[in-house]
Structure formats: C-alpha cells, structure tokens
Amino acid sequence: MALTYLHTMVRVKDLEQSMAFYKLLGLKETRRYDSEAGRFSLIFMAPPGQEDAPIELTYNWDGDDGLPSDSRHFGHLAYGVDNIYEVCQHLQDNGVTINRPPRDGRMAFVRSPDNISIELLQNGDALEPKEPWASMESVGHW
Ligand SMILES: C[C@@H](O)C(=O)SC[C@H](NC(=O)CC[C@H](N)C(=O)O)C(=O)NCC(=O)O
Ligand code: NI
C-alpha cells in the first residue's frame, strides 16, 4: 500500500497577501484552479525543483464558510494511492471512519485520531465507481 506525499492544504484569508509571503520564502506558483461554481481558488506553490511537494492554498472568495476561523486555517494532508478502494477498505477494517467515501473512484477524506483531515487521491485515472462505496454517504465535514 504505497503512499505518495502530494501536498498540504491551508486555507488563506487574503490570497495576495499569503502568496506574497510564500514568494518571499522562495515558493513559486505551480498550478491554479479557480471554481466559479464553488467560489474558491486553489493555488499550488512549491520551491523551484520541488514541484512535487507543494502547499495548496485554498481561498474561499466569500470568506470563511461559517465555521470558527481558527478551526479552518489548516485544511488537510494529501497522499496519492494506487487503489483508493483498497486503502479505504483497509482503513475502515481497522476502525477508521471514511468521512468522504471514494464513490467517484478518485478522492476520499478521512481524519486522524487528532482530527487532522487526510485527503486520499487515486494515482492516475479515477477507478470505476463500485458498491458499496458508490452508495455511501459522507460522514460529517471532511
Ligand atoms: C485538488 C485537491 O487537492 C483538493 O484538495 S480539492 C478538495 C475540496 N476543496 C474545496 O472544495 C475548496 C473550497 C472549500 N470551501 C474548502 O474551504 O475546503 C474539498 O473537498 N475541500 C474540503 C476539505 O475539507 O478540504
Ligand atoms: Ni488537496
């Protein structure tokens, strides 16, 4: 069950201010995704030559999502996995709650015993959705 470190996500209040800070540290923007529907932007930044170990800045255009801001700065740790269904089954068999099931064959969220959000992303293309994962509801805010 090989894991590949992908990124650490932090939420930011002021995108330009935060990006300027990380640029001072020498990080460069490597990828950006703007969601009109979700009203958020994801900006990946990494040191030159370490593009495979970025941070993911999440900027919600309308500010915090109503939760206490001190609980939303830190977002998640993300890992790539070879088979998201097998990994989630292994975790679930060992008592871990799958907060966001991998019903799309691509993305799942679990939480550590310290409530740290962990994002699991399928390496390569998404797997074909399969039961029972395809019909599982998310549990809580992942
Ligand atoms: C691209 C991949 O690395 C992601 O992390 S997308 C995860 C997705 N992010 C959002 O929806 C951003 C906006 C949202 N309002 C937020 O603040 O997270 C997501 O599922 N986020 C939930 C989470 O807990 O990370
Ligand atoms: Ni992420």
Side-chain angles (χ1 to χ4, degrees), residues 54-126:
I55 55 173
E56 176 188 20
L57 304 185
T58 291
Y59 174 61
N60 288 297
W61 301 350
D62 303 322
D64 281 330
D65 47 9
L67 292 179
S69 60
D70 59 351
S71 70
R72 295 290 281 164
H73 278 305
F74 182 80
H76 55 252
L77 299 175
Y79 292 96
V81 296
D82 291 335
N83 186 313
I84 198 160
Y85 293 126
E86 288 177 5
V87 170
C88 287
Q89 192 60 57
H90 175 66
L91 293 172
Q92 184 171 275
D93 292 347
N94 285 276
V96 175
T97 301
I98 310 300
N99 300 86
R100 182 201 185 277
R103 50 183 172 273
D104 55 0
R106 188 177 67 85
M107 179 190 284
F109 278 88
V110 299
R111 284 190 175 269
S112 76
D114 303 295
N115 211 29
I116 297 289
S117 181
I118 310 290
E119 178 183 33
L120 300 172
L121 286 173
Q122 175 63 38
N123 292 330
D125 296 331

Side-chain angles (χ1 to χ4, degrees), residues 19-27:
M19 288 185 69
F21 169 78
Y22 291 110
K23 284 176 183 170
L24 283 178
L25 286 176
L27 276 66

Side-chain angles (χ1 to χ4, degrees), residues 1-78:
M1 188 175 80
L3 280 181
T4 307
Y5 174 79
L6 293 181
H7 57 259
T8 297
M9 186 277 259
V10 291
R11 292 185 182 86
V12 298
K13 283 185 179 300
D14 181 322
L15 182 57
E16 298 316 316
Q17 184 184 53
S18 294
M19 288 185 69
F21 169 78
Y22 291 110
K23 284 176 183 170
L24 283 178
L25 286 176
L27 276 66
K28 308 281 188 202
E29 181 179 331
T30 57
R31 191 159 56 102
R32 181 178 187 132
Y33 170 73
D34 295 307
S35 170
E36 292 291 341
R39 297 188 59 72
F40 66 83
S41 296
L42 307 178
I43 293 88
F44 291 82
M45 299 184 78
Q50 298 176 52
E51 285 72 15
D52 59 357
I55 55 173
E56 176 188 20
L57 304 185
T58 291
Y59 174 61
N60 288 297
W61 301 350
D62 303 322
D64 281 330
D65 47 9
L67 292 179
S69 60
D70 59 351
S71 70
R72 295 290 281 164
H73 278 305
F74 182 80
H76 55 252
L77 299 175

